[in-house]
Amino acid sequence: MPELPEVEALAVFLREHASGRVIARAEAASFAVLKTFDPPLSALSGRAITEISRHGKFLDLRCAAGANGTAGTAGAAGLGDLHLVMHLARAGWLRWRTDIPDKPLRLGKSPLAFRLVLEDGTGFDLTEAGTQKRLAVYLVRDPADVPGVATLGPEPLAADFTADALAAILAGRRTQIKGVLRDQHIIAGIGNAYSDEVLHAAKMSPFKLASSFTPEEVAVLHDAIVSTLTEAVKRSAGLAAADLKGEKKTGLQVHGKTGQPCPVCGDTVREVSFADSSLQYCPTCQTGGKPLADRRLSRLLK
């Protein structure tokens, strides 16, 4: 799943390749991908992409009326700025293209979910692998109109995300820290992979209760969050969209590394599997050498 570092890198890539360009057309390749109907996608035609930003794991393209004052269907220019907001979900990705065909998309079962074509013939496809179609596209007047954006927690790389702010978030939460870090309503942008990486960097068990953190542990966790995400963003800087997945895999320390040696201590990376996901950790670095029971809501084995 693309998380904060990859989505930020995609935003940077699109700023370099799409900012200031005028949209020719936008098309959905499936009924499920488009979550809004007013305004219609046709309202994007003729609009210029004026700003590209990120909200947690959401990409946001701000689209204003074109230089000639026209934009899409009749009356669309009077709508004001529109925002094309995209969430790549678990198996989605953005593919930049310089050779988009002129023929319109056909609804079908291919991985292609959405296409944005610019007037110069370039643009991008959104694709989604697998059978669980969760990739989502919204066309709204305000990003806050997207439910997932409106309920996001604080950005972990923002200046106001301090150790004190994190302490306030954790206080009183009798929830395992792994779940807290993944919850987009609590902290925006961190998913399954980087929560594993943060906890490994902090040398903390994923099952540690948020309410049990001391001020010193909060400071350590805060530093791990900021440093892990900052380093991942730096590694992704300047990469083409097609290269970001590979960079993420090579840059991870424990996530997806089950059975491999921990790069810090050499112990074997272990896994806890759940119904639809799994977590990876190092027993020596994070749990005092004790393996975690491989079942939901488990505790350290005695």
Side-chain angles (χ1 to χ4, degrees), residues 88-112:
L88 297 175
R90 187 169 188 171
W93 197 245
L94 184 148
R95 178 190 175 198
W96 181 258
R97 299 191 59 175
T98 58
D99 59 346
I100 297 181
D102 292 331
K103 60 183 180 181
L105 294 180
R106 292 184 178 181
L107 296 178
K109 296 182 179 180
S110 77
L112 181 59

Side-chain angles (χ1 to χ4, degrees), residues 1 90 132 134 182 192 255 271-279 296:
M1 176 186 291
R90 187 169 188 171
Q132 294 184 340
R134 298 178 180 176
R182 289 189 62 186
N192 196 32
H255 184 79
E271 176 176 298
V272 175
S273 297
F274 302 116
D276 60 351
S277 65
S278 62
L279 66 85
R296 190 180 296 273

Side-chain angles (χ1 to χ4, degrees), residues 238-263:
L239 293 180
D243 298 327
L244 289 172
K245 285 186 178 181
E247 193 291 320
K248 178 180 181 178
K249 289 182 179 179
T250 58
L252 297 173
Q253 300 290 296
V254 292
H255 184 79
K257 310 290 187 180
T258 303
Q260 299 181 31
C262 169

Side-chain angles (χ1 to χ4, degrees), residues 179-197:
V180 171
L181 292 177
R182 289 189 62 186
D183 192 329
Q184 300 302 295
H185 304 301
I186 300 175
I187 301 173
I190 303 174
N192 196 32
Y194 286 105
S195 57
D196 283 350
E197 296 297 294

